[in-house]
Amino acid sequence: PRCQGAAARAWLEAQQANLLPVGYFHVVFTLPAEIADIAFHNKALVYDLLFKAASQTMLTIAADPKHLGVRIGITAVLHTWGSAMTHHPHIHMIVPGGGLTPAGRWISSRPAFLLPVRVLGALFKRLFLTRLLELHGAGKLVFFGKLAGLSDRRVFLRQLAPVRRKRWVVYAKAPFAGPEAVLAYLSRYTHRVAISNSRLIAFDQTSVTFRYKNYRCSGADRQQVMTIAANEFIRRFLLHVLPRGFHRIRHYGLLAGSARKANIACARGLLNATPPPDQTTAEDPADVRPPCPCCGGRMIVIEIFQRWRQPRGPPNTMATNRENAP
């Protein structure tokens, strides 16, 4: 819904205020298709495991003296959809290029290189599969329909066999347009689900037409149009409804918990950066406006209409017009 835009803008402003004067990296952890099916039947457990395995992978490799040897900061956002609204769980991370050593020094990464993606992928696979098997062994995973047979341990292990052999790909790249562009990209999906209004082209009582990106194509062919039945569109949309109370946005490392402000201040001091201006002291008339009754976001004035007043004229103008009227 459009009314969630105010909450997304507020989140974006809060994240921009915490940006450090270093290069930032965009990191993506994606689950293989075989695991995505398991995740759909166990959203709360497997999505939470995805967060934990991905964050621990980043923190562990970054703290290794063979790589950076520092404690990094991570902002992670869960996405469960692809451009065509299919089930495609993955996590986007925004990571500053560097971190604090145990001795309190700041060490920066190389400008175009954060951590080796093959090492990240190997550790991520090991951590995730180990804990997934523990959840299955504890009887915490449930399966329905065509996947009901996965409740059996041997069937479950056969399902994971090809996943164990393949290489899990982790994407890590410094954003060309700067961290603000990646934060802006993430903010469009922090408070919305699956598709934005701008991608909807047409709909009637039987079908919905929308734009999507086909990542198997390049150039102008990547932007394509899809028409699907209305009930299929609703089914795809509902795939991405999260369990009640599940947090889609999480922070780790330097950006986690109550020490977040202190860590940011320490990093700014080591980088000789001036803190952003305090925006809480300025009086903003919008702050006193009532919240939106639907989402609780801050109301925004779109237009103000002035009260209409009858134009003044000579005392006998109206009488003259009445007399001369046909």
Side-chain angles (χ1 to χ4, degrees):
R2 294 190 179 195
C3 64
Q4 296 295 326
R9 285 192 295 272
W11 179 85
L12 176 60
E13 292 173 1
Q15 302 309 310
Q16 288 176 334
N18 293 325
L19 289 176
L20 296 172
V22 297
Y24 276 71
F25 290 81
H26 182 195
V27 184
V28 183
F29 287 84
T30 304
L31 290 180
E34 297 86 349
I35 303 294
D37 294 336
I38 298 173
F40 179 69
H41 287 238
N42 302 271
K43 288 184 176 181
L45 286 173
V46 179
Y47 291 166
D48 184 66
L49 175 55
L50 173 58
F51 267 114
K52 290 178 178 178
S55 60
Q56 185 178 347
T57 296
M58 291 293 295
L59 294 173
T60 301
I61 300 303
D64 190 335
K66 292 187 296 184
H67 300 292
L68 283 176
V70 298
R71 187 166 181 242
I72 58 174
I74 301 170
T75 295
V77 180
L78 172 68
H79 286 188
T80 62
W81 55 87
S83 186
M85 298 175 61
T86 52
H87 189 231
H88 179 61
H90 56 286
I91 283 182
H92 291 266
M93 291 182 174
I94 302 299
V95 184
L100 294 176
T101 66
R105 293 173 49 242
W106 177 271
I107 294 182
S108 296
S109 66
R110 285 184 274 172
F113 181 83
L114 180 64
L115 296 168
V117 291
R118 285 183 175 269
V119 176
L120 292 174
L123 180 57
F124 174 56
K125 178 174 71 171
R126 179 166 60 84
L127 291 175
F128 187 93
L129 291 179
T130 300
R131 295 179 183 179
L132 186 65
L133 288 171
E134 291 175 355
L135 289 174
H136 190 276
K140 295 183 178 181
L141 300 181
V142 295
F143 302 97
F144 308 95
K146 296 180 179 180
L147 296 184
L150 293 181
S151 299
D152 183 89
R153 183 74 170 184
R154 291 171 298 179
V155 177
F156 189 73
L157 291 175
R158 284 200 298 269
Q159 173 77 5
L160 296 184
V163 181
R164 290 175 176 274
R165 292 190 294 267
K166 68 168 57 174
R167 183 168 68 91
W168 290 29
V169 179
V170 175
Y171 172 94
K173 190 174 183 180
F176 292 111
E180 294 85 356
V182 182
L183 280 177
Y185 167 78
L186 292 182
S187 70
R188 294 198 296 269
Y189 297 98
T190 53
H191 297 79
R192 295 182 183 179
V193 177
I195 191 170
S196 61
N197 294 334
S198 60
R199 289 208 286 134
L200 296 173
I201 298 175
F203 62 92
D204 53 31
Q205 295 182 359
T206 60
S207 63
V208 180
T209 302
F210 61 95
R211 283 189 294 270
Y212 76 102
K213 290 182 180 179
N214 187 345
Y215 290 98
R216 296 181 179 180
C217 301
S218 59
D221 294 334
R222 174 166 290 189
Q223 293 287 345
Q224 298 185 11
V225 174
M226 177 183 295
T227 299
I228 58 178
N231 59 345
E232 172 62 13
F233 180 87
I234 295 173
R235 186 194 71 82
R236 293 192 188 189
F237 187 86
L238 294 179
L239 290 175
H240 313 293
V241 176
L242 294 178
R244 184 179 296 274
F246 191 90
H247 293 281
R248 186 194 301 274
I249 310 168
R250 304 187 186 186
H251 304 278
Y252 299 94
L254 299 179
L255 304 180
S258 58
R260 179 178 183 176
K261 290 185 178 180
N263 290 333
I264 292 175
C266 177
R268 286 185 179 277
L270 295 171
L271 293 166
N272 297 320
T274 56
D278 187 3
Q279 300 175 353
T280 59
T281 57
E283 267 188 45
D284 186 356
D287 292 336
V288 298
R289 297 177 187 136
C292 170
C294 296
C295 67
R298 196 168 61 187
M299 300 287 280
I300 300 174
V301 175
I302 302 299
E303 189 171 356
I304 298 177
F305 296 93
Q306 294 185 353
R307 188 175 181 179
W308 182 83
R309 294 181 179 180
Q310 183 177 357
R312 295 182 179 181
N316 61 347
T317 301
M318 297 302 292
T320 302
N321 289 342
R322 290 193 196 98
E323 293 171 0
N324 296 335

